[in-house]
Amino acid sequence: MIIVVCAEETLAQTPNRLIPFSHQYYQKLNTSVYDTANKFHSSIKGYYSDDSILSQRYSYLMNQGVDTINKRSWVKRKLFEEHLVNITHDDYTAFIDFLPDLQIGRDWKNGNNTTLNTRGLQTGINVGDKFSIYANLFENQGKFPGYITQFIDSNQVVPGQSGGKFDNTTKDWNYTSVLLSYTPSRFLNFTLGYDKNFIGDGYRSMLLSDVASNYSFLRVRATLGSVQYQTIFGYMFDPGAPRLTLDRRLGYRGKWAAIHYLDWNINKRLSLGFFQAVTWADAEPEGKRGFDFNYVHPFAFLRSIESANTLSSPDKMRLGLNLKYEVLANTAFYGQFMFDEFVAREFFKGNGFWTNKLAAQLGVRGSNLANIPNLNCLVEFNMARPYTYAHFDRVSNYAHYNQPLAHPYGANFREFLSIVNYSYKRFDFQGNVSYARYGVDPNGLNYGKDIFKSYFSHVSEYGNYIGQGIGTDLYFAEGKIAFLMNAKYNLRFELGGVLRKETSAIATTSTAWLTIGLRSSFRNLYNDF
């Protein structure tokens, strides 16, 4: 949960009420977020409903279908208009909702049936204007198409969710988020959470995304005028790392992450963000290290780039930029650049030196296209050179629970994608297509896609290029049609379809997956990998 606090003229007095992050839902806020009349820090998600820039639009969306004229029965109000439990008091407000996610489907290409049986609860409490709590809990059983099942069996985690019982074809797992937020003033916020974070204006993020599972973190955010500074201290796990006898914990190997981001709205059109992330193993062969307070100070960006990229350092630092320019009303160009290591004398020779590890993003997004209200479009390009996000010790790479913290493909790829969505009254439509080219590792070799392998096992010092290894093409298309029943907890009937084809010189796999179900919640869960 991100607390957005800014100057008085642009934000409300009590910015502490989370709008859970869902890419599809957030597109409905585009006309307010990407408006040249506002200075809004769009690259940090999630947003807050009591932000004065968003409050009017959010209130409209939350009250879709509410009948203020006719008196409805209790059942109709709870099903179509209200929270299941809604408590309003002078000093606090609270709500509780039941969140079903029930789907049946079939992979027609492979003749397999799929199911999803999820029962969830969410609750939110706001105490005055300084303290808030949000929590959800989901109990899940599911049977997936082949490519997702293979991912779960290989990585022992449901993508973006958690580990569980995976011995059978039907998987069983839990998913939980908890956020406690304290805002002593509108310029400072402290958030303790078990959730995800996202930095960027695109569908993907090459800096920090919500692709991986939830993790524990403390976030501190300070804002002054057009500048916002955020620091995240996170604790993460690596189930695949060998355990150390000196590590007194009985669970998985752990890692710490210190993630700093400074976002500057230069004017109402242009914003620039500076990013830094450091990861290090909680326990090392020499003994238990724990948290490093050297990364607490607010001037972490002053650390020299040269020392940050020493190959023998047990810590791994990554630096990056996020750029947004609103060229027209409700239309913005955006981009990101991140580098692990950079040797200028080798880079400009163009010789494919393996330590020149970087990632980039370039995109454009628009809303109310062709003057059609609620029609949004995004076109985006992403790339990462081989061995980006990796480290010589897998525990300190840029990942959590066997999933990347940036792009789901890891590294050694190029990707083109486009998303279109449209809302009309209670109907939501979304379609996305993508194409990716990446290189897969032959047995026993490391061509740079798998960020969990040591980068010291690289196949060559020079001549490295994106797509090296077993060249693979991934084509993906997905469409969704939904009818919104209750906006308060996003209860909807949804029909969805996925076409996926992965082809290389070794094998070709195809998926044609159709689903229908009653769904609820605002979670961002990705199956386009």
Side-chain angles (χ1 to χ4, degrees), residues 338-358:
M338 191 285 305
F339 65 89
D340 260 340
E341 294 161 13
F342 181 77
V343 181
R345 66 179 181 274
E346 301 288 354
F347 178 82
F348 292 108
K349 291 179 181 178
N351 55 16
F353 191 47
W354 77 275
T355 61
N356 286 327
K357 301 182 294 182
L358 55 89

Side-chain angles (χ1 to χ4, degrees), residues 80-102:
F80 295 104
E81 297 182 0
E82 300 178 357
H83 292 291
L84 179 63
V85 177
N86 195 27
I87 302 171
T88 302
H89 193 273
D90 292 342
D91 298 325
Y92 65 89
T93 61
F95 66 84
I96 301 174
D97 291 310
F98 173 66
L99 305 178
D101 196 349
L102 310 172

Side-chain angles (χ1 to χ4, degrees), residues 22 24-25 28 64 103 420-431 479-486 490-497 515-521:
S22 162
Q24 183 174 7
Y25 183 80
K28 301 179 181 182
Q64 284 182 297
Q103 285 184 295
V420 177
N421 57 66
Y422 174 62
S423 298
Y424 178 75
K425 295 184 178 181
R426 287 176 176 258
F427 288 94
D428 290 332
F429 306 87
Q430 176 163 304
K480 295 179 182 178
I481 302 174
F483 177 77
L484 183 65
M485 297 176 61
N486 191 320
N490 202 22
L491 181 67
R492 63 199 187 275
F493 281 112
E494 183 177 281
L495 175 66
T515 60
I516 187 171
L518 178 67
R519 313 200 65 185
S520 183
S521 88

Side-chain angles (χ1 to χ4, degrees), residues 36 57 86 94 104 121 191 209 246 288 338 362 394 399 404:
T36 54
R57 176 64 177 169
N86 195 27
I104 57 173
L121 288 173
T191 300
S209 78
L246 295 176
K288 190 173 180 67
M338 191 285 305
L362 183 64
R394 63 169 286 162

Side-chain angles (χ1 to χ4, degrees), residues 508-520:
T508 296
T509 61
S510 299
T511 300
W513 183 26
L514 183 67
T515 60
I516 187 171
L518 178 67
R519 313 200 65 185
S520 183

Side-chain angles (χ1 to χ4, degrees), residues 278-281 284 289 292 295 303 308 310 312-317 391-392 396:
V278 187
T279 51
W280 68 96
E284 298 175 351
R289 176 183 177 184
D292 190 336
Y295 298 118
R303 180 175 175 178
T310 302
S312 60
S313 172
D315 303 350
K316 191 69 189 75
M317 179 175 288
H391 196 219
F392 66 80
S396 50

Side-chain angles (χ1 to χ4, degrees), residues 1-6 11-19 41 44-51 126 129-133 179-192 197 217 219-223 228-230:
M1 179 170 60
I2 305 293
I3 297 300
V4 183
V5 284
C6 218
L11 292 182
Q13 297 294 318
T14 57
N16 64 353
R17 299 180 182 179
L18 170 72
I19 306 174
H41 294 275
I44 302 178
K45 301 179 174 68
Y47 302 149
Y48 279 75
S49 62
D50 47 356
D51 182 321
N126 296 291
D129 60 359
K130 297 183 182 299
F131 183 73
S132 66
I133 302 174
L179 295 152
L180 296 86
S181 174
Y182 175 58
T183 307
S185 78
R186 55 195 175 89
F187 302 108
L188 185 64
N189 169 257
F190 300 91
T191 300
L192 184 66
N197 297 277
F217 62 84
R219 178 169 52 238
V220 181
R221 172 157 238 173
T223 304
Q228 294 185 341
Y229 187 87
Q230 173 182 274

